[in-house]
Amino acid sequence: MKLSLSFLLVCCALPAGAQGLPDLGELPEPARYLAGYISGGVGWSLPFGGHWGDRDAGFKPSPALTLAASKRVDELLSYGVESFYGRRHKHRVQRDLELKLFSLTPFIKAAFSEGEKVYYGILGAGIYQWKQPAFTSNGFRYGSDSGSSGGVNLGAGVSYPFWWETRAGLDLRWHHVFNMKGSNLSLNSIDSFNIMFVVTYGVWKDKKWP
């Protein structure tokens, strides 16, 4: 009898206690939102395929840098612009011959999270600028040369929480330049595979209330 009475009192008290709980629908909206991202990366750009990537008479890998800024559309999509700089692709045979490669490419990125990890795929297209400093070959001096061409890049990556609200991870990217041709050399289209360590910082903004 006592047990039944206690159970009845508990059941009656639950609705009364629940009346004091806040309604989740009445909680204030967050005052800040994630507006976009800024990222920078360091790594290597590895030529492959054709004369550009020939292991005997092509060009060597180069240290590479990237810098990007993007706007967040929603939890899945973001878009922005990225710059890439391959500092020095030295020729394997002609010791004085080297190429520098720079690109500026708008991109779109799709990302999804799994626990603390974030996976993403990225597609970019834009302008690739190359520069060849003056060099000497077989006693003949060749002047400097440069040019530009359209190109695309496609890749994927993964990031993890890093330090002070940043994320760090691995970015793997294929770069394709449609035409690299100048007065001193003609490589036609070229392909490179970039392996980058990238740090990303999320840009937060205050919401504007009506």
Side-chain angles (χ1 to χ4, degrees), residues 122-142:
I122 185 169
L123 171 65
I127 297 296
Y128 285 74
Q129 174 79 29
W130 59 273
K131 182 179 181 181
Q132 168 248 301
F135 69 100
T136 301
S137 176
N138 297 324
F140 186 81
R141 185 68 173 173
Y142 291 87

Side-chain angles (χ1 to χ4, degrees), residues 13 22 31 33 37 51 56 60 62-63 66 73 87 92 104 115 121 126 133 135-136 144 150 158 164 200:
Y33 69 99
Y37 310 92
H51 177 58
D56 298 318
K60 298 179 181 180
S62 167
T66 60
V73 178
R87 187 168 62 89
R92 296 182 183 274
L104 189 65
F135 69 100
T136 301
S144 60
V158 59
W164 198 58
T200 302

Side-chain angles (χ1 to χ4, degrees), residues 17-95:
Q19 292 177 0
L21 294 176
D23 183 357
L24 294 181
E26 296 177 358
L27 290 177
E29 293 186 17
R32 305 174 71 215
Y33 69 99
L34 182 58
Y37 310 92
I38 296 174
S39 65
V42 295
W44 288 89
S45 178
L46 289 70
F48 71 92
H51 177 58
W52 167 248
D54 191 289
R55 292 295 182 89
D56 298 318
F59 288 81
K60 298 179 181 180
S62 167
L65 301 172
T66 60
L67 182 64
S70 60
K71 179 178 176 59
R72 183 174 181 263
V73 178
D74 53 30
E75 293 183 357
L76 176 66
L77 295 176
S78 61
Y79 66 90
V81 64
E82 179 182 62
S83 62
F84 153 76
Y85 179 55
R87 187 168 62 89
R88 182 182 297 169
H89 288 284
K90 295 185 68 68
H91 197 266
R92 296 182 183 274
V93 178
Q94 302 290 343
R95 296 183 60 183

Side-chain angles (χ1 to χ4, degrees), residues 89-117:
H89 288 284
K90 295 185 68 68
H91 197 266
R92 296 182 183 274
V93 178
Q94 302 290 343
R95 296 183 60 183
D96 291 338
L97 174 59
E98 66 180 44
L99 289 174
K100 304 177 187 293
L101 189 61
F102 172 81
S103 71
L104 189 65
T105 55
F107 67 84
I108 185 169
K109 178 189 287 188
F112 68 93
S113 59
E114 185 177 289
E116 292 190 333
K117 295 180 288 187

